[in-house]
Structure formats: structure tokens, C-alpha cells
Amino acid sequence: SQTIHQWPATLVQPVGSPLSLECTVEGTSNPNLYWYRQAAGRGLQLLFYSVGIGQISSEVPQNLSASRPQDRQFILSSKKLLLSDSGFYLCAWGLAGAETQYFGPGTRLLVL
Amino acid sequence: SQQGEEDPQALSIQEGENATMNCSYKTSINNLQWYRQNSGRGLVHLILIRSNEREKHSGRLRVTLDTSKKSSSLLITASRAADTASYFCATVKAAGNKLTFGGGTRVLVKP
């Protein structure tokens, strides 16, 4: 069966520090991968998605970037965090051509 | 921008009652999905309804879709305390395309 992992679960970072959040998927090959951000009490905003290694599409211009160095690994990064980067970050995967997505447990990021 | 907007934003009911929430969207879609999110957790897929379907059931869940009104509803029958969660609708404009989420409905089921 497929599983998706995210770490860390919680992160407190100072403004201006770098960020690296990791997401890995097990039990499937060549998945579509997604990064979302969720503000408190709100819906999900799609940040990035990837249909293959090295292929990244950005949905919203911002302070963040994403990379997919391996088939089942998706990384969300920032060189310098802003206060507005605080939120709940969710990684998801889906089969190519299918619409249903499967979500990881999320990372709660607080930038102070 | 959000494609789907849920109504109400919050709902409080007693265990055993039915919970109904609605989702409206703006553009034509290929399918609409409902997800549940327990507090502080990831989302779990509940049900998918395609644009050529009008109603779908899964256990205690019933979803309807009215493409003429660009709206969908999710009914949870005989609610349980464990149904306490936020529920999100998400639309897909074209097959294999991305999900666009609404703002969610927070449901509290009191024992």
C-alpha cells in the first residue's frame, strides 16, 4: 500500500532563516506530487506541483521554491523566511491522469 | 483564487442528526470531490462525483451535484462524534487537472 511522509511535523523558525520541508511517497512510481499551504481556518492553496523528476510548476509567485530530486521525493524550500510564510504545509500525491489526491500529515510552520 | 465556496462556514449538531453542507463553484468542471480534515491533520478523500452524475452514495455520505446551478451538497446521515472535522469541496476543471479547494465547513458533532 502507498504511504506519504512529511517531516518535520512542527517547525519554529526565525524570520530570514532558510527552510527545507521534505515529502516522500512509498509504494507507487512516478506519482504527481503537490505542495499546498493552508492558513489557519482556511482552505488549501496550491503552491507547486510536479509530474516528474525535475519538473516543477509554480502556481503562486512567492518566497518559496520546490524541487523533485528523486521520483518519490518532493522538497519545499526558502532561502529567507518571511512572517507571512507561517502556515500548515501539506504534501499530496496522485496517480498520473487521476484526480484523487492523497495527503500527508502536514508540517506546521511558525515564523517568528 | 478559490473555485469552490462552502456554506455554512461552521455547523454544530447533536449526535444522530444529519449534517448538510453546500459547495458552490464558478466555472464548468470535470468532477467535484469532498475531503475531510481532522484538526491539525492531512486531508482524507471522501467521494468524487463526475459532471455527468447527479447523486452518489458512500456509506453514510450522500453527495449531489447540480451543474446548472454550479453547486454540490454533502449530507452526512446519523452523525457521530467522530464526524467532527472540517469538510472541503474541491473541483477539477479538466480530466487529470489540478484540484481547487474551497474554504471548508467546520462541523462539530456533540455527543
Side-chain angles (χ1 to χ4, degrees):
Chain A
S1 64
Q2 300 89 0
T3 55
I4 178 169
H5 304 278
Q6 281 187 249
W7 62 90
T10 305
L11 190 59
V12 181
Q13 292 285 94
V15 169
S17 63
L19 173 73
S20 181
L21 302 182
E22 188 163 344
C23 170
T24 59
V25 180
E26 296 177 356
T28 188
S29 296
N30 197 31
N32 291 343
L33 296 172
Y34 306 85
W35 277 113
Y36 292 89
R37 177 168 59 203
Q38 184 179 29
R42 303 294 299 277
L44 278 68
Q45 180 186 38
L46 179 62
L47 302 175
F48 301 96
Y49 70 96
S50 171
V51 299
I53 295 174
Q55 299 179 63
I56 309 294
S57 295
S58 174
E59 289 293 297
V60 182
Q62 58 206 315
N63 186 41
L64 303 169
S65 62
S67 62
R68 184 170 178 174
Q70 300 181 44
D71 181 44
R72 289 169 288 181
Q73 184 185 31
F74 206 21
I75 297 172
L76 184 68
S77 304
S78 174
K79 292 182 179 178
K80 288 186 178 181
L81 284 168
L82 306 172
L83 288 174
S84 57
D85 291 324
S86 294
F88 191 48
Y89 288 83
L90 289 154
C91 180
W93 74 273
L95 293 172
E99 292 91 0
T100 301
Q101 293 182 18
Y102 304 91
F103 286 79
T107 294
R108 190 162 303 282
L109 172 66
L110 179 59
V111 183
L112 300 174
Chain B
S1 62
Q2 292 180 338
Q3 160 80 313
E5 294 294 336
E6 283 93 336
D7 171 58
Q9 290 188 335
L11 182 60
S12 180
I13 57 174
Q14 293 293 137
E15 206 165 26
E17 293 180 341
N18 295 342
T20 300
M21 60 210 84
N22 304 295
C23 170
S24 60
Y25 56 91
K26 298 175 183 174
T27 64
S28 62
I29 60 172
N30 175 275
N31 67 78
L32 184 145
Q33 303 175 38
W34 286 91
Y35 287 78
R36 183 185 72 212
Q37 182 181 34
N38 289 80
S39 181
R41 308 293 294 274
L43 278 71
V44 175
H45 179 259
L46 296 176
I47 198 164
L48 180 154
I49 187 166
R50 300 202 177 276
S51 59
N52 60 354
E53 298 175 306
R54 292 298 168 258
E55 188 171 313
K56 210 162 182 181
H57 297 256
S58 177
R60 293 184 294 112
L61 305 179
R62 173 177 168 255
V63 168
T64 63
L65 179 64
D66 187 334
T67 53
S68 66
K69 295 181 179 179
K70 291 186 171 58
S71 67
S72 173
S73 67
L74 171 66
L75 168 68
I76 305 173
T77 59
S79 62
R80 305 167 181 169
D83 294 327
T84 293
S86 291
Y87 292 82
F88 294 90
C89 69
T91 55
V92 177
K93 291 183 183 179
N97 211 322
K98 304 179 292 292
L99 292 173
T100 303
F101 284 86
T105 293
R106 296 187 306 280
V107 175
L108 172 63
V109 182
K110 294 179 283 187

